[in-house]
Amino acid sequence: MIQFDSKKSFYKTPFGAVENGTELRFRIKITDGRTASFVHLIIHSDNGDTIQTIEGIRETILDNGDTVYRFSTVIREAGLYFYFFEACCPVADVEAEGEVTSKNEQTHVFQLTVYSESYKTPEWLKSGLMYQIFPDRFAKSSSYHPPEQTKNLILRQDWGGEPNGLPDENGIIQNNDFFGGNLKGIMEQLDYLEDLGVTVIYLNPVFEAYSNHRYDTADYKKIDPLLGMEEDFIELCKKAKERGIRIVLDGVFNHTGSDSLYFNKKGRYPEIGAYQSVDSRYYPWYRFFEYPEKYDSWWGIDTLPQVNETNSSYLDYIIRSEDSVIKHWLRCGASGYRLDVADELPDEFLEALRTAVKAETTDGAVIGEVWEDASNKISYGQRRKYFLGSQLDSVMNYPLKNAIINFLVKDMDGCKLERVINNLCENYPKPAFSALMNILGTHDTPRILTVLSENSKDEGHTRQRLFLAMLITAFMPGIPCIYYGDEFGMRGGRDPENRRCYEPDRGDALIYKFYRRLFSFRKRIDGLNDYTLVPRSAEGSLYSFCRSGNGGRLIIAVNAGNQDYLLNLAMKAKEILKDYFISGNVLYERHGVFRIKENSGIVVYIKSL
């Protein structure tokens, strides 16, 4: 039997993804006291071609009879690779009266991510706190008076009322009820956000559009007049920067709105759009099957005509020209982009966009909306290259979100949660893993408190589940992201229920107090972004992990079940327990040992003297 564990340093170093040109060292064990006639490490590229077959060198025979073989290699080109080991070992044939024959054995196939040595990601994505805002529903300033609108819309006067998600008489969900949130309203909340500890604001789309969600862009170079003017956006970025807060914009570049400057299906814009004439300068951006009524659209939604992102004039407009969309808003003060439906943006487009962002501002960020493991994602039959060094800095960490919810609500199996996190840690390049956007809820998912209420005993139990989820999220590598209002316990199902107006006066003060305390505690950890994730223990309903570095370590332990667990900190000589943060019922048992009771958790900060 061949024994190998890619997550243990005895078998593979360095751990996980590596820069191109790094020496890789492997070991395997041949167990049962057998000696192999040959052992091979076989590495193949993503397309299945074998690029290396390496003969193993026998290193030693252990006391238990296992034989250790070693291998070493270097991969020069960035890419996604897969590897396995094979060995030819003697096997006794029972049916042939013990005659010894040879048999080839193989291990499972393992992933190896090799990324460019030049791959760097922004330091500000590796610490701090992100806050996501749905602009129409966050804050409304009475100091801004939008101009008269030509689009069909409903201006609501009942801030906090029930959002309209029902179809009209033609069966179409218009998403055209607006509550009036605006950029000046966000500016008026900057002191609050700074006090909460926010360092990054991620704004859902702010460009002119027909709908209240604004994912149907009408003009990429114009702030939606209901939100404000370009001058307001510049002022927002300036005032946020004064408080140490960056602004990240939502880039919706896979499709436009049908009611837009570019497509102009309703004829509301003075320039001739693609729908109106094949002579429109925007016509080459779109794919028509039967002009003009049948065209390619996002998921078949005809109000969202899909663009050809590799069209030269589209690339120029969005990315390459001197006053391209990307460059324009960075120069207005934005610090980067979250890319909507990144799975549907071609490699050429992503690479050109990242190049433009980094040329404009070296620490600009490019974050992708990817719902799965972004290191090996296949989209429309094509393997994506997000994390090889030329496309994305980070992604929204949906795998972590889903695993935490499953742990707390469904299976309460710490081993499953640990496996998801360890796989991401192994598959993702360190520059990306340390900059992940760690979410518990977004505009595309039900509110986290609503999700955590499933099978819950009562409101207090649900609230405590949220606190445990935050203990994990807040101390994972990357930047935790709060969806607006979650810090006050907003509830709601899917769209539009998860996009209600922000009303802190109606919020849960206990939840807000917890968020404040948690992020105040987190801020006191010196150099947290340099702390390495170290797996610790997972058994039953317990999940525990460690962050280590900078002369200290953090131990985070969460008990999702109803049995007590003893947490032994394994304190070393010349270590002190500097601080701790408790959620729920945790008892001090004895020196270096805590008893974590039902639905409770703790974060312990240990420093070396």
Side-chain angles (χ1 to χ4, degrees):
M1 178 180 178
I2 306 172
Q3 195 171 92
F4 175 77
D5 187 339
S6 64
K7 293 177 173 61
K8 293 184 177 178
S9 59
F10 176 85
Y11 295 98
K12 176 181 179 290
T13 55
F15 168 78
V18 297
E19 293 181 358
N20 62 317
T22 300
E23 182 184 9
L24 289 157
R25 298 179 297 279
F26 301 88
R27 286 193 184 102
I28 63 170
K29 293 178 184 176
I30 303 295
T31 62
D32 304 326
R34 295 178 295 167
T35 302
S37 56
F38 70 80
V39 292
H40 289 152
L41 163 62
I42 298 174
I43 303 174
H44 59 86
S45 61
D46 189 31
N47 64 12
D49 293 341
T50 299
I51 63 165
Q52 291 185 23
T53 299
I54 303 159
E55 184 79 27
I57 299 172
R58 189 167 70 180
E59 183 176 272
T60 188
I61 299 177
L62 302 177
D63 291 342
N64 65 358
D66 292 351
T67 306
V68 178
Y69 293 83
R70 71 174 187 270
F71 311 78
S72 66
T73 187
V74 173
I75 299 178
R76 302 291 179 187
E77 186 175 344
L80 187 65
Y81 298 88
F82 297 90
Y83 66 95
F84 64 93
F85 300 90
E86 67 173 5
C88 182
C89 300
V91 177
D93 190 335
V94 176
E95 293 182 1
E97 299 181 353
E99 180 180 340
V100 177
T101 60
S102 294
K103 179 183 177 181
N104 282 3
E105 298 180 14
Q106 291 185 356
T107 63
H108 296 297
V109 176
F110 300 87
Q111 176 179 320
L112 175 62
T113 307
V114 179
Y115 59 96
S116 170
E117 59 186 340
S118 63
Y119 189 23
K120 301 290 187 297
T121 55
E123 289 300 314
W124 53 269
L125 277 180
K126 301 173 185 178
S127 61
L129 176 62
M130 185 180 286
Y131 193 88
Q132 179 185 349
I133 290 175
F134 192 82
D136 183 59
R137 311 285 164 81
F138 180 63
K140 179 180 180 179
S141 172
S142 59
S143 66
Y144 178 70
H145 304 283
E148 185 176 345
Q149 302 293 300
T150 60
K151 63 185 178 183
N152 175 32
L153 80 167
I154 302 168
L155 288 175
R156 303 281 295 265
Q157 302 301 320
D158 57 335
W159 185 268
E162 188 83 16
N164 182 18
L166 298 176
D168 62 15
E169 64 275 8
N170 298 314
I172 299 173
I173 299 175
Q174 293 285 347
N175 289 309
N176 66 339
D177 62 326
F178 291 82
F179 285 89
N182 51 45
L183 297 183
K184 285 189 179 294
I186 298 174
M187 283 185 241
E188 292 172 1
Q189 295 297 319
L190 286 176
D191 287 342
Y192 160 74
L193 295 174
E194 180 186 15
D195 186 58
L196 185 61
V198 171
T199 57
V200 182
I201 295 172
Y202 154 45
L203 294 174
N204 285 120
V206 297
F207 306 135
E208 182 176 337
Y210 172 81
S211 72
N212 53 40
H213 57 68
R214 298 186 173 91
Y215 282 94
D216 52 341
T217 312
D219 189 340
Y220 286 110
K221 291 189 176 182
K222 185 178 180 182
I223 298 294
D224 193 302
L226 285 172
L227 291 175
M229 310 301 288
E230 183 170 307
E231 293 76 15
D232 297 321
F233 179 76
I234 293 172
E235 185 181 6
L236 170 62
C237 292
K238 179 176 178 292
K239 288 187 173 182
K241 185 178 180 181
E242 290 171 356
R243 293 166 171 81
I245 300 174
R246 294 174 179 266
I247 305 293
V248 170
L249 290 172
D250 213 328
V252 188
F253 302 125
N254 166 262
H255 51 268
T256 67
S258 59
D259 183 15
S260 66
L261 171 67
Y262 318 105
F263 202 76
N264 209 7
K265 189 173 183 176
K266 294 184 178 180
R268 288 199 309 113
Y269 293 86
E271 189 170 356
I272 300 298
Y275 179 84
Q276 297 165 303
S277 173
V278 296
D279 294 325
S280 167
R281 63 173 175 152
Y282 306 116
Y283 175 80
W285 291 12
Y286 302 92
R287 304 179 187 91
F288 289 90
F289 307 128
E290 293 181 18
Y291 187 81
E293 294 298 337
K294 293 185 178 181
Y295 46 86
D296 193 11
S297 59
W298 185 72
W299 286 27
I301 302 171
D302 65 2
T303 56
L304 301 175
Q306 192 157 317
V307 299
N308 175 9
E309 299 96 336
T310 58
N311 173 267
S312 182
S313 66
Y314 185 74
L315 281 170
D316 287 344
Y317 185 84
I318 299 294
I319 298 172
R320 299 188 305 205
S321 67
E322 179 56 29
D323 189 37
S324 69
V325 172
I326 292 296
K327 296 173 185 175
H328 180 86
W329 297 109
L330 290 174
R331 291 168 185 170
C332 286
S335 290
Y337 294 88
R338 174 266 192 190
L339 301 180
D340 185 54
V341 293
D343 292 344
E344 303 185 40
L345 298 172
D347 290 338
E348 178 184 345
F349 183 88
L350 289 175
E351 288 163 8
L353 188 146
R354 188 173 195 273
T355 297
V357 168
K358 301 300 182 181
E360 194 65 35
T361 172
T362 55
D363 66 348
V366 182
I367 305 167
E369 180 198 8
V370 181
W371 288 57
E372 302 83 12
D373 183 328
S375 70
N376 53 35
K377 168 79 178 186
I378 295 177
S379 176
Y380 297 94
Q382 178 186 356
R383 182 82 73 180
R384 303 314 308 261
K385 302 176 181 178
Y386 300 135
F387 283 162
L388 301 185
S390 61
Q391 294 188 2
L392 301 179
D393 292 312
S394 173
V395 291
M396 303 172 77
N397 200 349
Y398 278 100
L400 174 65
K401 166 191 170 294
N402 296 335
I404 290 174
I405 291 171
N406 287 337
F407 171 60
L408 293 173
V409 176
K410 298 177 181 178
D411 54 48
M412 294 190 186
D413 186 340
C415 292
K416 289 183 179 179
L417 174 59
E418 182 180 59
R419 188 157 51 247
V420 170
I421 292 169
N422 289 350
N423 284 343
L424 294 177
C425 185
E426 182 174 19
N427 290 347
Y428 284 17
K430 185 177 179 181
F433 186 72
S434 60
L436 288 173
M437 181 177 166
N438 295 324
I439 56 175
L440 285 176
T442 72
H443 63 290
D444 285 326
T445 63
R447 288 279 179 176
I448 184 59
L449 199 63
T450 297
V451 174
L452 295 177
S453 67
E454 181 182 345
N455 301 321
S456 180
K457 296 177 182 178
D458 51 41
E459 286 193 12
H461 189 259
T462 300
R463 186 187 294 119
Q464 185 59 26
R465 277 179 171 176
L466 174 64
F467 296 166
L468 299 188
M470 285 304 302
L471 288 188
I472 299 170
T473 305
F475 292 98
M476 278 290 156
I479 185 167
C481 180
I482 299 173
Y483 183 43
Y484 79 100
D486 280 352
E487 77 276 21
F488 279 104
M490 283 183 66
R491 292 177 180 261
R494 294 192 176 275
D495 170 30
E497 295 303 315
N498 58 351
R499 303 175 182 180
R500 291 176 179 271
C501 294
Y502 178 68
E503 295 182 286
D505 292 342
R506 298 176 60 183
D508 187 322
L510 290 177
I511 292 178
Y512 175 67
K513 183 178 179 181
F514 173 86
Y515 274 74
R516 284 284 308 274
R517 288 177 50 241
L518 176 66
F519 287 104
S520 176
F521 172 86
R522 185 175 179 270
K523 195 172 182 179
R524 296 197 297 270
I525 310 300
D526 298 329
L528 177 60
N529 56 315
D530 294 324
Y531 280 45
T532 302
L533 177 69
V534 181
R536 195 170 186 278
S537 61
E539 53 175 311
S541 60
L542 178 75
Y543 174 62
S544 177
F545 65 99
C546 178
R547 296 284 302 276
S548 179
N550 198 32
R553 58 191 175 109
L554 284 171
I555 294 176
I556 300 91
V558 167
N559 177 13
N562 53 20
Q563 294 182 346
D564 292 3
Y565 280 94
L566 289 180
L567 174 68
N568 191 330
L569 304 177
M571 297 286 289
K572 303 171 186 176
K574 296 186 178 180
E575 278 190 335
I576 60 168
L577 199 163
K578 183 175 178 63
D579 203 353
Y580 59 86
F581 183 95
I582 289 175
S583 179
N585 192 356
V586 179
L587 306 177
Y588 179 79
E589 192 80 1
R590 58 185 182 273
H591 178 66
V593 179
F594 288 88
R595 180 179 293 275
I596 308 176
K597 301 188 78 66
E598 175 184 359
N599 205 26
S600 299
I602 187 171
V603 181
V604 182
Y605 182 24
I606 300 168
K607 287 288 286 183
S608 299
L609 296 175

